[in-house]
Amino acid sequence: MIRKKTYISIDDTDEIGYHTSTGEICEAIREHIMKHYSVLAAPITRHQLYLHEDIPYTSHNSSMCFTTYLSKKEREEVTRFILEHVENISAPTSDPGVCIAFEDEIGDMEALIAYGFDAKVKVLSKESAYAIAEKHNLFLRELKNTGQGVIGAVAGIALRAYGSDGRIKGKFRLDTQTIEVQTLLNNDLIDEIQLSNGALISENALILTEEELKIVYLNHKCVLLVEPDGDNYRPLGKEKLKNY
């Protein structure tokens, strides 16, 4: 059985006041795959898309994406599960879109990534999403109402594949006020700790961890961005991470 790197992205599954969010639905899919196929799945990334009055969205217009490794048969099974799960659990007024792709079957990765960046600055049509999906061998399906979420679902895979866009879903709190860089790196959640200019900091440096940690996705890694605070370092706060 040959497993291949697989991208899974969903968008537009909730509504204001609904009991669950697109991120939580995506997390349930990720956990289902790990539990039933005994395979690892990478953390979910949240990708910010264009905010414009002509684009309907719940609150932030962001899509969710993660990667895992599946065989062709497993991908078929997972696809059936995702379509049924998202259709059943998504909000009544939502417009869900689901996009799935094997990395080595994507026709032109650079063109796909360009579409993802267009979705951050332009109003795009559903037709454009379907055209990109057909051209570059992505599975794309709308499930309810207008199905407008197909645009974000395609963009989610494009931006995840780019490797330096978005934030890791969720936030993390440690039961300590400070922690050494190397100790924090031993945690599987973080691959690198660096300044916003890309400079790495000493493994012996101390990170102030009174507040929750938000992690960004840079160079295909989960990265904690920090800034100097006296002799130590402090994670960048929510406002300074808005551009990620």
Side-chain angles (χ1 to χ4, degrees):
M1 178 178 64
I2 299 175
R3 282 174 163 162
K4 301 195 292 187
K5 186 173 182 178
T6 309
Y7 291 84
I8 297 173
S9 177
I10 65 172
D11 189 27
D12 210 339
T13 67
D14 56 6
E15 63 189 18
I16 296 293
Y18 196 55
H19 65 83
T20 190
S21 66
T22 299
E24 290 169 342
I25 292 172
C26 196
E27 186 62 51
I29 294 169
R30 178 176 172 271
E31 290 176 0
H32 171 89
I33 292 171
M34 290 193 292
K35 177 180 179 181
H36 292 276
Y37 296 92
S38 299
V39 64
L40 294 176
I44 296 169
T45 42
R46 170 198 178 278
H47 301 279
Q48 181 63 56
L49 306 177
Y50 192 30
L51 298 175
H52 189 278
E53 59 186 8
D54 292 337
I55 300 176
Y57 56 86
T58 306
S59 57
H60 302 295
N61 196 27
S62 58
S63 61
M64 301 283 170
C65 184
F66 67 94
T67 61
T68 186
Y69 286 82
L70 299 173
S71 69
K72 185 175 180 180
K73 181 175 180 294
E74 289 170 338
R75 174 180 151 167
E76 291 172 356
E77 294 171 356
V78 165
T79 298
R80 285 196 294 273
F81 167 78
I82 293 174
L83 295 180
E84 182 177 354
H85 182 67
V86 173
E87 183 160 15
N88 289 337
I89 200 169
S90 56
T93 63
S94 66
D95 309 292
V98 172
C99 192
I100 302 170
F102 280 140
E103 184 175 65
D104 68 351
E105 293 183 359
I106 294 174
D108 184 339
M109 186 64 87
E110 288 189 10
L112 177 62
I113 290 171
Y115 184 85
F117 277 96
D118 279 349
K120 296 174 78 71
V121 296
K122 296 179 181 177
V123 178
L124 300 175
S125 66
K126 261 178 36 175
E127 290 72 22
S128 70
Y130 278 112
I132 285 286
E134 182 177 4
K135 187 173 183 179
H136 302 299
N137 304 317
L138 315 179
F139 171 87
L140 183 62
R141 182 72 58 83
E142 61 185 79
L143 294 174
K144 197 181 290 184
N145 300 313
T146 71
Q148 197 74 10
V150 293
I151 301 168
V154 172
I157 288 184
L159 294 167
R160 177 65 179 241
Y162 174 65
S164 289
D165 184 87
R167 303 196 293 268
I168 302 301
K169 173 187 169 292
K171 44 197 172 185
F172 311 93
R173 181 177 289 281
L174 301 177
D175 295 328
T176 180
Q177 299 292 303
T178 61
I179 189 169
E180 276 195 354
V181 166
Q182 185 56 58
T183 303
L184 192 49
L185 288 175
N186 290 337
N187 183 321
D188 291 337
L189 296 171
I190 299 173
D191 299 317
E192 283 186 354
I193 300 172
Q194 63 183 48
L195 301 174
S196 55
N197 64 7
L200 299 176
I201 59 177
S202 165
E203 294 181 348
N204 298 321
L206 284 178
I207 307 293
L208 305 175
T209 54
E210 305 101 323
E211 299 176 2
E212 293 171 322
L213 308 181
K214 291 289 293 179
I215 301 168
V216 300
Y217 197 60
L218 291 174
N219 298 318
H220 299 276
K221 295 178 181 177
C222 298
V223 176
L224 179 67
L225 292 175
V226 298
E227 59 187 353
D229 186 328
D231 294 332
N232 303 315
Y233 294 88
R234 179 180 298 279
L236 295 193
K238 185 176 178 180
E239 286 300 313
K240 293 182 178 178
L241 293 175
K242 275 188 173 180
N243 292 330
Y244 292 89

